[in-house]
Amino acid sequence: MSMSRRGFLKTGIATAVAGSGLQLFSPTEVFAADTITIPHASHYGPFKAVVRNGVLIGVQPLPGYDAMPTEMLLEGIISRTYHPTRVKYPMVRRSYLENPRGDTRPDLRGKDPFVRVSWEEALGLTADAVMRTIEEHGNEAVFSSSYGGWSHAGVLRPQVLQGRLFNLIGGQSVTTGDYSAGASQVSLPHIIGDMEVYSPQTAWEMVRKNTEVFVFVGCDPWKNNRIEFTVADHQMYSRWKAIREAGVKFISINPQFTSSDEAMGSEWVKIVPNTDTALFLSMCYHVYTNGKHDQAYLDRYTVGFDKFLPYLLGESGDGSPAKTPEWAASITGLPAERIRELADLFASKRTQFAGAWALQRAHHGEMTHWAIIAFAALTGKIGQPGQGVGFSWHYGGGGMPMSGKRGPIGLSQGRNPVKARCPASRISEMLLNPGKPYTRDGAEMVFPDVHMIYNAGNNFMHHQQNTNELIAAMARKVHTVINQDPWWCASSRYADIILPANTPLERNDISSGGTYSMDKVYAMRQVIEPYGESLDDFEIFRRLAELFGVEYGFTEGKTVMDVVQDAYANTDTEISFEEFWENGVADMSVPDEANSWVRHGDFYNDPDKNPLHTESGKIELYCDAFARFGTKECPPVPTWMEPVEYLGNARPGQVHVVSPHPFMRLHSQMANADINKILNVQGREFVLLSTEDAAERGIKDGDLVEVYNDRGALIVGARVSDRIMKGVISIFEGAWLSKDSKGRCNSGAINVLTTSVPASDLSQATSANTCLAYMRRCDDAEGPNQAYQPPHILERVDPTPAVRLEDLALAERASAAVSAAVAEMLPGEKLFYQRCTLCHVPREPGDYTKRQWHGITESMFPRAGLTEDEQALVMEFLEGNAKDAVVR
């Protein structure tokens, strides 16, 4: 069957909304006196909430501010707000509540029922667990898995607030890097001087006017731009159509045909997953040996080609053959003649490459983006109008012109006295190997000895690879797991204490749109009263701060509305706060010159005046830094290295499992919303598999399928299609975990299958898309999927609190930890931790060299809203504490 966007939406928005008893109102609707509209904004788009007698009954899109309202906005937000999986009250796992300071039976996480407690008792248990962990093991034993900041679009994100609180009591161990682009964010600053994966793309109009061939390499902007880190307003969709209508040829190199490919009419080039590096290396070989490379470009804009060339030609002494199209054909599944055709086309036409983040979520993932850069450099394209490389076309409205204006900023995390960190995808390894040294970006680090996990605002049980390994590691090592969340997602079900946070609709906040264009500021006004006894994240952490005796340090005497108004005052909008808050949106103008901006254009026009922020100032085809680091898994030239699992080393019957971002969700957000019925099969996540693979296994469309390997097993519903190549299956990530009696995930949570092998010892990033498994028709599924139902909750028999606040002496116990966090900061240091550490977790100055910080801050400073004087202060601090700073 066709998995086109039209197929996805065939039931229609109106049908989905009407079927749930909710309403989609037109922008001109007039309401009765008992009904009001309140402006709000989300990752899924801006809107007016329609509220009758205090109940959310529908949404009203904002005309002119959302070019393509999606089902996630029009129906998903409402259905999840009142969903049965809302956590109404503070809850504690039964075995934990029975013995909070002793044997809490961590082996029963995910199985134990829960017991309702009061907020006072829940916060007392939480605070006592925090202080006992610090007292017995030190601050680094408290680990924050609160990462990413995707819980909502506002500035008061829970991971920032958590960092702010814990940094006032001596700090906590945190994650470093991320799942989205963990490999390339480490490698690309060395190769091309910027993370690239989080950088703005060439203005779309320059593509429309100049590009002849646009190449999606695993990239699906039509699907992934449905959401944004801030507020999605879907401005690029009409621009993509304009690019297509200008006659630009689209080619998609991908194991499956995507929604972008259908929208843009892409020519589909099927490729074996994890082999793009081999393809681009062979195209490098072909253009060089046929004299179609641009030697003048290589001489002026790159370094290291002389050291890269021997590897291409098979003359490097490492025993590898020449990287001919025939060599690549046996790896990629593409005929050698087809590889030559592609290389000739890309070399002869004005070509823009759009590489997906998914490419580098793989074993040796650093190599893929580097190989694409190498080919684009050999053919002289990087920095030319409508040509070159871009690794963020699928994110944040990539291609929209940038306003250069300041957006709203919130509270800072401040400085974390604890320097122990764990790469985002290595949590299981950290728990199983406390004190083990590891390398990241050339530096040696040590895993902290963690005894407690505090999680706020993300579903860490969903996004960690090899879920069963994580569950076992937590049971073996972690005494207390606290989850602060609105829903009974997997992280709540596997926690000991659940603090019910409310949803963004139940609090005030402020955001911006879009991520790169930064041309609007949105009000996120409270729409309804908090559900049950839920509290907003600011209030939960404020109450904990009060218990620890650091409330003023946490709030600085400010309320939520004070923070929101301060955030607005920092922006470059031109209307008053009162007018903005009433209307819900304030525009910021985009200068005309933004429409002609070209990524790497200044470097191309004058590389001496505008060098890249690499060590050489040029594109590095041989990286001296990698050679110095001596990493075993990241050589100093773009190199094909066989992944630990791929079709080239698969056993008979195995298929390669890819796990792209979902169409109807933001990772695991919206998994419990009614809109998932549009795509789910028999109440479970679906698997996209080829007609040939289905026929070989006797699987029909709509059947249940068991997918399994030695790490775990899951059950999904079959969608049989001609739009995925044989030997490859695709399962969207983000389904909530729910195990049956055989230990299989009955919901289709992909990470029970994925490997926890790191991308390399350079990045320690995820390799989730390097995954082999078997599949068969499932004839023994157990009952309905229970992932989207609340767990068993017991009535409390003994009302005596497990702890009494007056007995805990929390403020006194916290005072010793507080002293570690009160050192004075330099002006630039204070600005950095206040304004430049609001996304993910704070990046430490020592993570990057001086030159790399100059590249990174080009896109960081505008989003932080810093003046030129403030930028200078921050840069002085960063240069004084960078990886290559002189130690005094």
Side-chain angles (χ1 to χ4, degrees), residues 684 704-706 713-717 740 744-748 778 781:
R684 298 165 175 86
L704 292 181
V705 177
E706 182 175 346
L714 55 80
I715 300 173
V716 283
D740 67 10
R744 303 173 297 185
C745 178
N746 205 22
S747 182
C778 181

Side-chain angles (χ1 to χ4, degrees), residues 184 187-188 191 217 274-285 287 308 311-312 323 327 353 355 359-360 364-379 382 389 391 619-621 626 637-641:
S184 284
S187 63
L188 291 184
I191 295 164
V217 191
N274 288 192
T275 66
D276 304 86
T277 299
L279 170 63
F280 278 87
L281 289 175
S282 68
M283 292 196 297
C284 287
Y285 175 94
V287 297
F308 174 45
Y311 174 73
L312 277 184
K323 309 308 176 291
W327 165 83
F353 294 98
L359 301 173
Q360 48 85 67
H364 311 304
E366 298 87 354
M367 292 296 139
T368 310
H369 285 173
W370 198 2
I372 296 171
I373 289 170
F375 179 79
L378 255 70
T379 51
I382 297 175
V389 294
F391 301 113
I619 300 165
E620 303 213 350
L621 301 181
F626 296 166
V637 297
T639 304
W640 160 253
M641 291 176 284

Side-chain angles (χ1 to χ4, degrees), residues 274-275 311 327 331 363-364 639-650 770:
N274 288 192
T275 66
Y311 174 73
W327 165 83
I331 297 170
H363 195 206
H364 311 304
T639 304
W640 160 253
M641 291 176 284
E642 183 174 294
V644 65
E645 296 180 16
Y646 87 119
L647 289 178
N649 55 30
T770 296

Side-chain angles (χ1 to χ4, degrees), residues 62-215:
L62 291 185
Y65 286 96
D66 190 344
M68 190 191 71
T70 72
E71 308 80 357
M72 290 179 282
L73 171 69
L74 299 175
E75 194 272 332
I77 283 180
I78 307 174
S79 67
R80 72 172 186 169
T81 298
Y82 296 118
H83 197 269
T85 52
R86 281 297 300 270
V87 184
K88 297 180 182 179
Y89 313 106
M91 295 282 180
V92 180
R93 185 170 61 84
R94 178 179 61 182
S95 298
Y96 189 94
L97 187 63
E98 290 172 350
N99 192 11
R101 292 188 169 190
D103 181 7
T104 64
R105 294 298 308 275
D107 57 303
L108 294 180
R109 291 190 187 116
K111 303 173 185 176
D112 248 348
F114 288 86
V115 180
R116 177 183 173 181
V117 299
S118 68
W119 267 109
E120 180 178 294
E121 185 172 6
L123 292 176
L125 286 166
T126 297
D128 185 51
V130 170
M131 291 317 306
R132 280 189 296 105
T133 303
I134 293 172
E135 290 161 350
E136 295 173 11
H137 306 286
N139 279 77
E140 77 167 30
V142 179
F143 178 69
S144 169
S145 56
S146 309
Y147 136 97
W150 281 94
S151 61
H152 60 82
V155 300
L156 288 166
R157 302 187 192 231
Q159 95 284 0
V160 172
L161 298 173
Q162 180 182 335
R164 183 177 179 85
L165 170 62
F166 277 85
N167 291 347
L168 290 169
I169 59 171
Q172 59 185 343
S173 297
V174 297
T175 59
T176 186
D178 59 43
Y179 291 89
S180 297
S184 284
Q185 69 177 234
V186 173
S187 63
L188 291 184
H190 296 284
I191 295 164
I192 198 169
D194 194 329
M195 288 186 193
E196 296 293 325
V197 287
Y198 297 129
S199 300
Q201 304 301 283
T202 295
W204 73 272
E205 197 168 318
M206 298 303 291
V207 173
R208 181 175 63 86
K209 291 178 179 178
N210 297 284
T211 304
E212 294 177 293
V213 179
F214 199 109
V215 186

Side-chain angles (χ1 to χ4, degrees), residues 456-486:
N458 86 83
N459 191 357
F460 80 103
M461 288 296 300
H462 141 256
H463 63 214
Q464 190 74 195
Q465 283 70 62
N466 196 344
T467 306
N468 288 322
E469 180 184 58
L470 174 63
I471 292 171
M474 288 169 57
R476 169 180 158 182
K477 188 71 171 58
V478 181
H479 182 274
T480 303
V481 179
I482 296 165
N483 195 50
Q484 186 169 310
D485 201 274

Side-chain angles (χ1 to χ4, degrees), residues 745-790:
C745 178
N746 205 22
S747 182
I750 185 62
N751 278 324
V752 302
L753 300 176
T754 53
T755 176
S756 57
V757 170
S760 79
D761 53 354
L762 176 77
S763 66
Q764 300 291 345
T766 180
S767 59
N769 279 321
T770 296
C771 179
L772 293 176
Y774 299 93
M775 65 175 171
R776 60 191 172 209
R777 193 181 68 218
C778 181
D779 297 319
D780 63 344
E782 298 178 4
N785 175 20
Q786 298 296 312
Y788 308 114
Q789 297 298 321

